[in-house]
Amino acid sequence: TLPGKIDYNENDLVAFRSLLEGIVDQVRFELGDYVNKGQVLATIKSTQIQELYQQKRSQEGQIALLQKQIHTKRELLNDGLLSAPEVLEIEHELANAKIELERINQSLQLYRATGNGSFQILAPKNGYIIQKAISSGQSITAESEPLFSISNLKQVWVMVNIYASNLRYIKTGDAVKVRTIAFP
């Protein structure tokens, strides 16, 4: 008879860390809950998301301004009052502004940003919440410990403490009988 413990399979563990800083607004799960991939687990208010929305509005304004300038410069080009390279320069600026706007939109989508300066944390896979270190009102940073961990628990590990004096009796392929105190 040897002591030990039953543990989750560490090869099937997802420990979630936030890429952004913020304040936890809402947590929608508890330790031991079963969650489905894509389920909203928490909402975080973040100044970084607010900054991305400000950049988006600024970029949209810049694009609108450049489009008006292109229209005006094309009319001047048609009238012979402007050279073609000047129009090409503004068109190039517009293309760069559109690329930057697309990058901002992709970042907002990646972080699951909501319109009110928050982002959502989604379950990365199906499974049980086996560790939880997140609660409403908590401040989180990119350097924080994992906010939660998920494992599907379809396969668990039995970690047995084998004493050095018993090692000679243990062989690969031996049958093992596992009993727990809680469920004998």
Side-chain angles (χ1 to χ4, degrees):
T1 300
L2 301 168
K5 71 175 186 172
I6 297 176
D7 213 346
Y8 50 84
N9 178 352
E10 290 186 9
N11 293 328
D12 184 38
L13 173 74
V14 174
F16 184 89
R17 293 179 191 265
S18 176
L19 298 174
L20 299 173
E21 297 178 358
I23 305 292
V24 179
D25 185 40
Q26 187 179 35
V27 179
R28 298 179 183 177
F29 67 94
E30 292 298 330
L31 189 63
D33 285 355
Y34 184 83
V35 296
N36 294 306
K37 181 177 181 174
Q39 179 180 336
V40 176
L41 299 181
T43 305
I44 315 292
K45 288 192 179 292
S46 174
T47 56
Q48 291 169 304
I49 293 295
Q50 292 171 347
E51 288 170 9
L52 279 172
Y53 273 111
Q54 288 171 351
Q55 289 174 11
K56 179 181 177 177
R57 285 190 294 275
S58 172
Q59 212 56 32
E60 288 169 342
Q62 182 69 17
I63 287 171
L65 177 65
L66 288 170
Q67 287 172 334
K68 288 177 184 176
Q69 288 178 347
I70 285 173
H71 179 71
T72 303
K73 291 200 179 217
R74 281 190 183 146
E75 287 178 355
L76 291 172
L77 178 66
N78 291 339
D79 292 341
L81 300 172
L82 197 64
S83 65
E86 291 181 53
V87 174
L88 290 174
E89 183 180 332
I90 292 241
E91 288 174 343
H92 182 69
E93 283 181 46
L94 177 62
N96 286 339
K98 286 181 178 180
I99 290 169
E100 180 62 16
L101 178 61
E102 181 61 26
R103 183 197 64 79
I104 292 167
N105 283 331
Q106 287 175 349
S107 294
L108 289 169
Q109 186 177 10
L110 171 71
Y111 295 133
R112 296 285 300 174
T114 61
N116 61 356
S118 298
F119 67 95
Q120 296 176 327
I121 296 176
L122 305 181
K125 63 181 275 177
N126 294 343
Y128 291 92
I129 303 292
I130 59 170
Q131 296 171 342
K132 179 184 176 204
I134 182 174
S135 58
S136 294
Q138 175 184 347
S139 177
I140 60 170
T141 65
E143 293 82 34
S144 295
E145 292 296 314
L147 301 176
F148 59 88
S149 298
I150 297 176
S151 180
N152 69 20
L153 299 181
K154 288 181 181 174
Q155 183 182 55
V156 294
W157 290 354
V158 176
M159 309 297 271
V160 180
N161 299 322
I162 301 173
Y163 305 111
S165 61
N166 292 336
L167 278 176
R168 63 184 171 179
Y169 304 117
I170 307 298
K171 308 259 183 307
T172 302
D174 283 352
V176 177
K177 182 177 181 181
V178 178
R179 288 187 314 163
T180 65
I181 295 169
F183 302 103

